[in-house]
């Protein structure tokens, strides 16, 4: 079987000093699965040396591209990377501190049997080593998502892979950015009838969460309301 083409999209914000070693781990993970890969770093709104470090990394790696956008916007960064990725192979969303060789291997083995693959933290076979409060927040969010928009998925946020043609077909319809861009993208794929697979994942982030969970709650609630409106408008 021919190794798949994989483009990994990674939003980065204020990652100076952490990004270099993390990229080395990601390269090692993807090279164990396929030689046909590309990494797109999307620097968004950093106030430290992240952009300069990203350019330095890219200067010695022809498979690493760097895009810069104004303002700290996680969802817009993913969208920008997807738009730049083109229409070939798989597009994989990683965070700089959350990635998985096992997930890449699973995607490579699927061949033509799926259009969207989600690393579900709620899958019975998953091992979630995050603090209990973050595990609880994930559970509550997913229950709210099912209640608000009627999704049958157990998880929508985090590591995922989508076939590039699916992404390019859906992007014009996705309206949200920030925290729920990728959630809306996945839900639109579900509603459009694309083949969805959820796979187990070991969740072991490489550092403590940098964003306050309490500050994210009101933003997420507003996002769920906006998500329902967006999906309701087609």
């Amino acid at each position: 079987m021919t190794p798949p083409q994989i483009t990994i999209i990674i939003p980065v914000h204020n990652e100076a000093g952490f990004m270099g070693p993390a990229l080395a781990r990601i390269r090692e993970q993807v090279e164990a699965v396929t030689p046909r890969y590309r990494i797109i770093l999307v620097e968004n709104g950093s106030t430290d040396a992240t952009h300069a470090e990203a350019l330095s990394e890219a200067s010695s790696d022809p498979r690493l591209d760097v895009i810069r956008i104004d303002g700290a916007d996680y969802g817009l960064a993913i969208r920008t990377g997807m738009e730049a990725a083109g229409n070939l192979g798989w597009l994989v969303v990683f965070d700089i501190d959350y990635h998985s060789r096992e997930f890449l291997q699973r995607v490579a083995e699927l061949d033509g049997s799926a259009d969207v693959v989600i690393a579900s933290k709620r899958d019975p076979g998953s091992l979630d080593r995050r603090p209990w409060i973050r595990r609880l927040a994930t559970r509550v969010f997913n229950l709210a998502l099912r209640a608000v928009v009627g999704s049958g998925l157990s998880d929508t946020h985090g590591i995922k892979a989508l076939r590039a043609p699916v992404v390019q077909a859906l992007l014009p319809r996705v309206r949200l950015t920030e925290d729920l861009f990728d959630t809306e993208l996945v839900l639109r794929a579900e509603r459009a009838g694309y083949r969805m697979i959820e796979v187990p994942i070991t969740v072991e982030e490489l550092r403590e969460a940098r964003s306050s969970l309490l500050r994210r709650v009101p933003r997420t609630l507003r996002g769920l309301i906006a998500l329902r409106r967006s999906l309701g408008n087609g």
Side-chain angles (χ1 to χ4, degrees), residues 16-34:
F18 183 85
M19 183 171 52
L23 278 174
R25 287 189 292 269
I26 292 169
R27 288 190 189 97
E28 182 179 357
Q29 289 174 343
V30 69
E31 286 171 0
V33 174
T34 179

Side-chain angles (χ1 to χ4, degrees), residues 3-11 26 30 33-42 62-67 77-95 103-104 107 159-165 167-168:
Q5 173 69 40
I6 293 177
T7 300
I8 298 178
I9 298 160
I10 309 173
I26 292 169
V30 69
V33 174
T34 179
R36 303 172 62 225
Y37 75 90
R38 175 186 179 198
I39 298 174
I40 301 177
L41 291 178
V42 187
R63 290 180 291 193
L64 176 62
D65 296 321
V66 178
I67 302 173
I78 297 175
R79 182 184 192 115
T80 301
M82 287 180 165
E83 289 172 340
N87 208 37
L88 181 64
W90 287 96
L91 307 188
V92 174
V93 178
F94 275 175
D95 287 343
F103 177 78
L104 293 174
V107 170
I159 294 175
K160 57 182 62 66
L162 303 93
R163 292 194 181 277
V167 171
Q168 302 311 330

Side-chain angles (χ1 to χ4, degrees), residues 10 13 15 18 21 35-36 44 57 72 82 89 92 122-125 152 159 172 181 196-197 199-200 211 221 226 231:
I10 309 173
H13 172 76
E15 299 292 357
F18 183 85
R36 303 172 62 225
N44 60 113
E57 291 281 343
M82 287 180 165
V92 174
R122 298 293 304 159
D123 188 280
I159 294 175
F181 163 81
M196 318 282 290
I197 292 180
V199 300
S211 59
L221 292 175
L231 292 170

Side-chain angles (χ1 to χ4, degrees), residues 72-75 141 157 176-180 210-227:
D73 191 322
Y74 177 82
F141 173 77
H157 194 69
L176 301 185
T177 59
E178 296 184 333
D179 299 331
L180 295 184
R210 298 190 301 167
S211 59
S212 167
L213 187 60
L214 289 177
R215 285 201 298 267
R216 288 178 60 184
V217 169
R219 190 173 69 200
T220 299
L221 292 175
R222 291 192 299 269
L224 283 172
I225 295 171
L227 178 62

Side-chain angles (χ1 to χ4, degrees), residues 122-182:
R122 298 293 304 159
D123 188 280
S126 291
L127 178 60
D128 193 343
R129 292 175 172 154
R130 297 175 301 163
W132 71 268
I133 188 65
R134 296 198 66 205
R135 299 197 303 270
L136 177 62
T138 294
R139 179 173 178 79
V140 170
F141 173 77
N142 290 325
L143 289 173
L145 194 65
R146 290 187 177 206
V148 171
V149 300
S151 172
L153 300 171
S154 69
D155 199 358
T156 61
H157 194 69
I159 294 175
K160 57 182 62 66
L162 303 93
R163 292 194 181 277
V166 172
V167 171
Q168 302 311 330
L170 292 174
L171 276 181
R173 299 169 58 192
V174 179
R175 296 175 174 86
L176 301 185
T177 59
E178 296 184 333
D179 299 331
L180 295 184
F181 163 81
D182 53 340

